Amino acid sequence: MSETATAKAAQASEAEAHSNRWKALVFIALAQLMVVLDATIVNIALPSAQQDLGISDGNRQWVITAYALAFGGLLLFGGRIADLWGRKRTFVTGLIGFAAASALGGAAQGEATMLGARALQGAFGALLAPAALSLLAVMFTDAKERAKAFGIYGAIAGGGGAVGLILGGFLTEYLNWRWTFFVNIPFAIIAAAGAYFVIREPAGGRNRSPLDIPGVVLSTLGLISLVYGFTRAESDGWSDSTTIGMFVASVVLLAAFVLVESKVKAPLLPLRVITDRNRGGVYLSLGLAIIAMFGLFLFLTYYLQIVKGYSPVKTGFAFLPMIVGMITGSTQIGARLMTRVPARLLMAPGFLAAAVGMLLLTQLEIGSSYAGLLLPAQLLLGLGMGTAFMPAMSLATLGVEPRDAGVASAMVNTSQQVGGAIGTALLNTIAASATTSYIKDHIAGAAAKPQLVQLEGMVHGYTSAIWFAVGILLAAATIAATFVNAGRPDTSSVSGSGEGDGVEDEFKVPVIAH
């Protein structure tokens, strides 16, 4: 074939990929919807699944943590695999694997199978997420189209949270909790089939560098040790030898990871990505914000269902104000202003607004009014977090070297997922400890009403942990205001143009999965 014919064939392929981009967005967004649905559905179904499978209170958060840790621990590896295999192939593989893991979770007959299925879902999600984001970035290179595409993607992520909460309630109440896993299967099959036939990945975007196996092993084991340390502290105490051992192991493993990354030729995580002042500030502030938010989701679910006696369906609808706030903050405030003002002027006030919403929830009592307390608190939390997240996601890859775009995107998701795992374990530990102390101090004087004391102790535990969450959000706002010093972003260019050893050069903008 002549060079002219080859060039024409390449142009035709590019034209086809360009013409299919909006169709491809449908299937990529459907995959994102599935992942978001899964996260929120499991929160609603957790009390029923815990009772059915005999999962202890100390282990229940592992249903959430196993997924978050596998997802967060393997995201960097997943992003690197997408560069090596190709985005489309990795995306489809992730979808098929996620569907299989969901089937296993739905059929689980015991705690071990359930936790294993959740970990598998996280592992395949770690393949799926970086591939989906990079596919979007490749197909939407025009600044206005890119903003619109990621806006739609983000709105579906937020809206998917609401759908997940409500659908989870209906499935749990009218069928059973197992259907909250089985519902992923049709989503995954449709998205995988659509992606296979519609997506045309541009050639020449792979990174053929050798895989950094020591980096993968050290980072994954280090993160697992860290989160297991927090989880162990809940059941066995902070002074337990295994708890301390896990924390020491995590420090040693992560320090070794940093050392290895500074020495190897093709590191899994080039240190220049995280040592940049703005990106470092984004990773830190986002990670802290997610620590605060994830623990709260678990507390509110149990408060509404156990203390207030809400049904799963009613609990799902009760979370709607937070989701509406997130969508509004993200699409109507963050997305509209992030090209007009510096990121810190959206991030810091956003985290502060969320902290005020969290502060309201420290007043939670058994008889608290939904309309008077929970509704305004959720709206403030959602508006604040949505406003902060959009500019943070964009800034996380702004100015990054083309060859580092994928790993910079994966680092954002890693900070979110690991933050979620730590938040669930850490705040659950604080709540459980405060509850135990409260019941011990009050049960003797309330022999006639032990059940009331149990509920009061539970709510006291929640509010004690929420005070810590307020402090964590204030720390996130402080970091955003002081570390992040980038000016108003330039939207005239959205793709990198450097040269590398086959490293993909697209400018990626990640969108959070709520």
Side-chain angles (χ1 to χ4, degrees), residues 44 64 134 148 179 188 212 225 451 455:
I44 295 294
I64 308 297
S134 57
K148 184 178 180 181
W179 283 96
D212 176 20
S225 299
Q451 189 175 3
L455 291 177

Side-chain angles (χ1 to χ4, degrees), residues 459-477:
V459 175
H460 174 73
Y462 298 158
T463 56
S464 298
I466 289 170
W467 272 112
F468 277 86
V470 172
I472 292 169
L473 282 173
L474 290 175

Side-chain angles (χ1 to χ4, degrees), residues 386-459:
T387 299
F389 282 155
M390 277 301 289
M393 295 303 105
S394 178
L395 185 60
T397 51
L398 187 67
V400 72
E401 293 183 33
R403 58 197 168 121
D404 297 334
V407 77
S409 175
M411 263 302 295
V412 177
N413 287 291
T414 299
S415 67
Q416 292 170 26
Q417 294 300 323
V418 174
I422 292 173
T424 302
L426 175 62
L427 295 181
N428 215 29
T429 300
I430 295 167
S433 176
T435 295
T436 301
S437 297
Y438 183 93
I439 293 173
K440 183 179 179 182
D441 293 341
H442 292 79
I443 196 69
K449 296 182 178 179
Q451 189 175 3
L452 179 62
V453 174
Q454 293 280 350
L455 291 177
E456 287 175 344
M458 195 179 295
V459 175

Side-chain angles (χ1 to χ4, degrees), residues 73-134:
L74 294 171
L75 263 169
L76 292 174
F77 180 52
R80 180 68 182 82
I81 290 295
D83 290 344
L84 191 64
W85 281 3
R87 306 172 191 91
K88 176 179 172 178
R89 184 186 301 175
T90 306
F91 181 68
V92 172
T93 301
L95 281 166
I96 294 170
F98 199 94
S102 297
L104 181 64
Q109 297 299 316
E111 180 178 324
T113 306
M114 168 60 72
L115 298 185
R118 290 291 286 161
L120 278 174
Q121 282 184 313
F124 284 107
L127 281 180
L128 182 60
L133 292 169
S134 57

